[in-house]
């Protein structure tokens, strides 16, 4: 769709289901950084990589020893690797281009969500959120694990464990906790069941700030916008809250260290809460005050201007869309299937949702073309109107037309080499090769089809022992082609057919057309010739049943 044709007054958000993707039972989804590839985790342990431009499967990542359902998928910054967490307590990193497993580790509790470190090109560090346990920072390759503090009472009690060892017995269990990296991965934001957001320096395993959420609900989801400027939380009081990030994008942990030196508080908890007021600022709160809907899988749009969340009600596939100012602008209603995951395309106004049946629905915008973009004086009419043309309207040089000279200097050079920076990818390192598309690999034939091909080839007779099937078919169909040819060609072809028939020692049955011509020969008199000895225009020739082409090469004429 051309951008100038689109009405600028239309909202830049999806409105309808464009199509759906189907492959097994998909549970979770994630776009790569450019939105060209879509990773989907399935219930059988397979990670499907979809080419989102063609809507086709580009790669299948599968571990033969793992059949557990995938709980989350996450892309690396430049799209070369994918992190997969499964319900059998496993974490796996895959190389997308080669389809090989790079690293694998097992965690004690089941991991519900895992995220790769966003600041590394080939990350092995990930943030895992297990069920009924504190979030952990795990190095999948080196095999180290750091358990992050979740409650304020556990300040400075971070423990480093071996990744293959289980959580110590007797340790505190928690309700469902959530965590996420900031834009460059130097800080971790975690939410607990006390309505607190803890900002943690995961290198030191130390809490740097605490933000209290009133009235203390359980924090279920924490999501950063793409540019890192806003933070979205989903809490158990059925409200969504947007916070503005007051810290700088880079080196935020250094700013927090300096902030701690300037705060004069004796109590450590109060000092952290004071630092929290310098980190996050509440902007808006969203809720459905009438239906009191519990939200699920909230996220930002690619540009951060829209906020979406799905309804957690059973049998409903509803997606709510708000603008950043807090106004509800659209409710998308899908099929009668519960929604389990959501993702907004990083660049385009597209939403991808996953239903409980395993289908992935693609929501797109219903564009309305504005033809006035082609001509400023174009006016759309709702009904026919009578138009009176001007006297000089169709003249070659109308008197009323004034030629306007362009202010653009045509002699100025045009820069065709410089590429304008895209604000959505301003932090890209041009020295790094980003994986945006996967090469097409032809699918091998199924074993059953190969066996059929081998069996059919074995049934073909040997050319030295019997005749070729092509020659037999040519002999059977030869009369049709020769009837359509000119008489001299028919004569030559007939002779050749007789010679071939003699060589093959095979007598062919006369065709239906040949029998009809033979019957006409017995009924009608022969065609006289002209004095010059040539046949007349109305000459006809008789069919010979014994001829290979079904047509006799000798023309009938009266002496």
């Amino acid at each position: 769709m051309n951008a100038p044709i689109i009405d600028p007054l239309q909202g830049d958000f999806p409105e309808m289901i464009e199509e759906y993707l189907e492959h097994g039972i998909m549970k979770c989804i994630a776009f790569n950084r450019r939105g060209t590839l879509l990773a989907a985790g399935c219930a059988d342990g397979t990670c499907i990589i979809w080419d989102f431009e063609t809507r086709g499967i580009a790669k299948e990542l599968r571990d033969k020893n793992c059949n557990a359902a995938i709980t989350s998928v996450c892309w690396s910054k430049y799209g070369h690797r994918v992190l997969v967490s499964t319900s059998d307590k496993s974490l796996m990193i895959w190389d997308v281009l080669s389809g090989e497993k790079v690293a694998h580790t097992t965690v004690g509790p089941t991991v519900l969500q895992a995220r790769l470190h966003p600041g590394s090109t080939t990350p092995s560090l990930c943030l895992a959120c297990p069920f009924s346990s504190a979030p952990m920072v795990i190095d999948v390759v080196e095999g180290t694990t750091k358990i992050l503090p979740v409650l304020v009472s556990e300040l400075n009690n971070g423990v480093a464990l071996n990744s293959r060892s289980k959580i110590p017995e007797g340790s505190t269990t928690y309700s469902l906790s959530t965590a996420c990296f900031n834009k460059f991965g130097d800080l971790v934001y975690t939410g607990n069941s006390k309505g607190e957001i803890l900002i943690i320096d995961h290198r030191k395993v130390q809490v740097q700030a605490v933000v209290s959420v009133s009235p203390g609900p359980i924090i279920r989801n924490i999501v950063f916008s793409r540019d890192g400027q806003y933070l979205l939380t989903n809490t158990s009081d059925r409200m969504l809250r947007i916070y503005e990030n007051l810290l700088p994008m880079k080196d935020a942990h250094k700013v927090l260290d300096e902030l701690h030196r300037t705060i004069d508080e004796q109590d450590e908890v109060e000092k952290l809460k004071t630092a929290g007021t310098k980190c996050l600022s509440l902007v808006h709160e969203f809720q459905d005050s009438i239906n009191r809907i519990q939200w699920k899988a909230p996220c930002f749009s690619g540009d951060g201007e829209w906020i979406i969340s799905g309804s957690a009600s059973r049998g409903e596939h509803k997606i709510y869309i708000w603008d950043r100012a807090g106004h509800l602008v659209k409710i998308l209603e899908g099929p009668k299937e519960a929604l389990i995951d959501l993702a907004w395309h990083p660049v385009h106004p597209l939403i991808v949702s996953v239903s409980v049946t395993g289908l992935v629905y693609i929501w797109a915008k219903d564009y309305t073309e504005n033809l006035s973009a082609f001509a400023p004086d174009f006016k759309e009419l709702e009904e026919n109107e009578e138009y009176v043309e001007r006297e000089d309207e169709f003249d070659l040089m109308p008197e009323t037309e004034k030629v306007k000279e362009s202010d653009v200097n045509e002699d100025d050079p045009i820069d065709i080499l410089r590429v304008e920076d895209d604000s959505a990818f301003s932090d890209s390192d041009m020295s790094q090769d980003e994986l945006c598309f996967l090469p097409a690999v032809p699918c091998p034939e199924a074993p059953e089809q190969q066996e059929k091909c081998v069996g059919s080839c074995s049934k073909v007779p040997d050319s030295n022992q019997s005749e070729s099937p092509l020659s037999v078919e040519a002999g059977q169909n030869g009369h049709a082609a020769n009837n359509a040819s000119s008489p001299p060609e028919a004569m030559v072809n007939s002779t050749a057919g007789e010679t071939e028939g003699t060589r093959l020692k095979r007598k062919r049955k006369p065709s239906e057309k040949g029998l009809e011509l033979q019957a006409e020969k017995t009924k009608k008199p022969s065609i006289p010739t002209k004095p010059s000895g040539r046949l007349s225009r109305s000459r006809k020739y008789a069919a010979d049943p014994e001829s290979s082409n079904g047509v006799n090469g000798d023309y009938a004429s009266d002496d």
Side-chain angles (χ1 to χ4, degrees):
M1 182 64 65
N2 295 329
I5 306 178
I6 302 172
D7 188 357
L9 298 179
Q10 300 181 40
D12 198 15
F13 50 82
E15 298 175 343
M16 63 177 186
I17 294 179
E18 184 180 51
E19 58 180 315
Y20 66 94
L21 306 178
E22 183 178 9
H23 184 87
I25 301 177
M26 290 177 278
K27 294 291 186 180
C28 52
I29 51 175
F31 278 107
N32 68 338
R33 195 160 174 266
R34 300 280 176 172
T36 55
L37 299 174
L38 177 69
C42 299
D44 60 352
T46 305
C47 182
I48 306 298
I49 307 297
W50 294 87
D51 188 329
F52 203 71
E53 301 295 330
T54 62
R55 306 292 199 269
I57 296 177
K59 183 81 70 174
E60 290 190 20
L61 308 176
R62 183 178 179 84
D63 187 359
K64 297 181 179 178
N65 299 324
C66 178
N67 296 323
I70 294 178
T71 57
S72 68
V73 289
C74 178
W75 289 85
S76 62
K77 182 176 182 180
Y78 293 103
H80 293 276
R81 294 187 176 182
V82 168
L83 173 66
V84 173
S85 64
T86 59
S87 59
D88 64 348
K89 308 176 183 180
S90 297
L91 291 174
M92 292 175 283
I93 297 179
W94 293 86
D95 185 277
V96 179
L97 188 60
S98 63
E100 298 179 355
K101 184 169 60 175
V102 177
H104 176 270
T105 187
T106 303
V107 188
T110 302
V111 176
L112 300 181
Q113 186 183 42
R115 294 290 178 262
L116 283 172
H117 191 279
S120 176
T121 56
T122 56
S124 61
L125 202 67
C126 70
L127 176 63
C129 298
F131 179 74
S132 298
S133 180
M136 297 179 287
V137 177
I138 303 173
D139 193 319
V140 183
V141 176
E142 295 182 0
T144 58
T145 298
K146 295 178 181 179
I147 301 178
L148 302 179
V150 176
L151 301 176
V152 179
S153 58
E154 298 178 347
L155 298 182
N156 302 326
N157 290 333
V159 181
L161 299 174
N162 187 290
S163 63
R164 302 189 183 279
S165 63
K166 297 183 179 180
I167 303 298
E169 295 183 0
S171 60
T172 307
T173 59
Y174 309 91
S175 61
L176 181 62
S177 59
T178 181
C180 70
F181 285 109
N182 64 344
K183 183 175 177 60
F184 289 94
D186 52 350
L187 295 175
V188 174
Y189 290 69
T190 65
N192 58 23
S193 59
K194 304 296 183 180
E196 297 171 338
I197 302 175
L198 277 63
I199 303 176
I200 304 172
D201 186 346
H202 63 86
R203 297 181 181 89
K204 304 176 183 179
V205 196
Q206 183 178 2
V207 178
Q208 299 286 352
V210 175
V211 179
S212 298
V213 180
S214 178
I218 300 174
I219 299 177
R220 301 183 184 274
N221 301 99
I222 293 181
V223 182
F224 262 103
S225 61
R226 185 179 179 84
D227 56 3
Q229 294 288 343
Y230 295 93
L231 179 73
L232 177 65
T233 63
N234 176 27
T235 54
S236 60
D237 60 351
R238 306 174 189 271
M239 294 187 69
L240 299 175
R241 294 174 175 86
I242 293 182
Y243 294 87
E244 183 180 0
N245 185 18
L246 304 179
L247 296 175
M249 295 298 102
K250 293 185 178 181
D251 299 328
H253 63 287
K254 296 180 180 179
V255 176
L256 280 175
D257 291 338
E258 296 178 358
L259 185 61
H260 274 275
R261 300 188 187 99
T262 60
I263 298 176
D264 295 332
E265 288 285 349
Q266 299 298 329
D267 189 5
E268 185 67 20
V269 176
E270 294 298 328
K271 185 177 182 179
L272 293 176
K273 290 184 178 181
T274 304
T277 59
K278 307 293 183 181
C279 299
L280 294 176
S281 175
L282 181 63
V283 178
H284 288 293
E285 295 180 347
F286 308 92
Q287 67 172 341
D288 188 344
S289 57
I290 299 176
N291 298 322
R292 301 289 297 171
I293 295 176
Q294 184 68 49
W295 307 112
K296 193 166 190 177
C299 63
F300 285 93
S301 61
D303 55 3
E305 295 296 329
W306 309 98
I307 295 93
I308 62 171
S309 182
S311 171
S313 302
R314 294 183 179 180
E316 286 187 356
H317 199 97
K318 290 184 178 181
I319 303 174
Y320 291 72
I321 303 177
W322 298 269
D323 60 7
R324 209 163 55 190
H327 302 100
L328 180 64
V329 295
K330 191 73 175 179
I331 299 178
L332 305 179
E333 296 188 10
K336 299 298 182 182
E337 302 168 0
L339 185 146
I340 58 177
D341 201 4
L342 269 179
W344 191 299
H345 194 277
V347 181
H348 303 296
L350 296 172
I351 294 177
V352 178
S353 62
V354 184
S355 69
V356 71
T357 59
L359 297 178
V360 173
Y361 295 97
I362 301 175
W363 300 77
K365 183 174 177 55
D366 186 13
Y367 290 103
T368 302
E369 294 184 354
N370 184 10
L371 298 179
S372 61
F374 294 102
D377 58 347
F378 181 84
K379 180 182 178 181
E380 295 184 2
L381 302 178
E382 296 182 358
E383 58 182 7
N384 295 335
E385 294 183 3
E386 184 178 356
Y387 176 74
V388 180
E389 64 182 34
R390 301 191 312 271
E391 183 68 25
D392 60 346
E393 183 172 1
F394 297 100
D395 294 349
L396 295 178
M397 296 294 294
E399 298 178 358
T400 58
E401 181 179 356
K402 296 181 181 180
V403 179
K404 297 181 181 179
E405 296 181 359
S406 177
D407 296 334
V408 180
N409 187 4
E410 297 181 357
D411 296 332
D412 291 343
I414 301 175
D415 187 6
I416 61 174
L417 299 178
R418 188 183 64 176
V419 179
E420 296 182 358
D421 295 335
D422 191 348
S423 59
F425 309 104
S426 58
D427 60 338
S428 297
D429 185 2
M430 299 305 294
S431 62
Q432 295 291 334
D433 294 331
E434 189 167 356
L435 182 63
C436 296
F437 298 97
L438 291 175
V441 179
C443 298
E445 295 183 357
E448 298 179 357
Q449 296 180 356
Q450 294 180 356
E451 293 177 359
K452 290 181 180 179
C453 294
V454 173
S456 60
C457 294
S458 61
K459 295 179 182 179
V460 176
D462 188 2
S463 60
N464 297 329
Q465 299 177 359
S466 61
E467 300 174 2
S468 171
L470 296 178
S471 63
V472 176
E473 184 179 358
Q476 294 175 352
N477 299 333
H479 66 276
N482 291 330
N483 286 342
S485 60
S486 61
E489 293 177 354
M491 192 180 302
V492 174
N493 292 339
S494 175
T495 306
E498 291 175 358
T499 304
E500 183 180 0
T502 305
R503 178 174 58 85
L504 296 176
K505 297 181 181 180
R506 184 165 184 169
K507 186 175 181 180
R508 296 180 175 86
K509 296 181 180 181
S511 63
E512 297 180 358
K513 185 66 176 180
L515 295 176
E516 292 178 0
L517 293 175
Q518 186 178 9
E520 292 179 0
K521 179 182 177 181
T522 56
K523 294 180 180 179
K524 297 182 180 180
S526 59
I527 302 173
T529 59
K530 291 184 178 181
S532 61
R534 296 182 179 179
L535 295 175
S536 63
R537 286 180 176 268
S538 61
R539 63 181 179 268
K540 295 182 180 180
Y541 47 89
D544 185 5
E546 301 296 328
S547 174
S548 62
N549 293 331
V551 178
N552 188 10
D554 298 332
Y555 291 96
S557 61
D558 294 336
D559 294 333

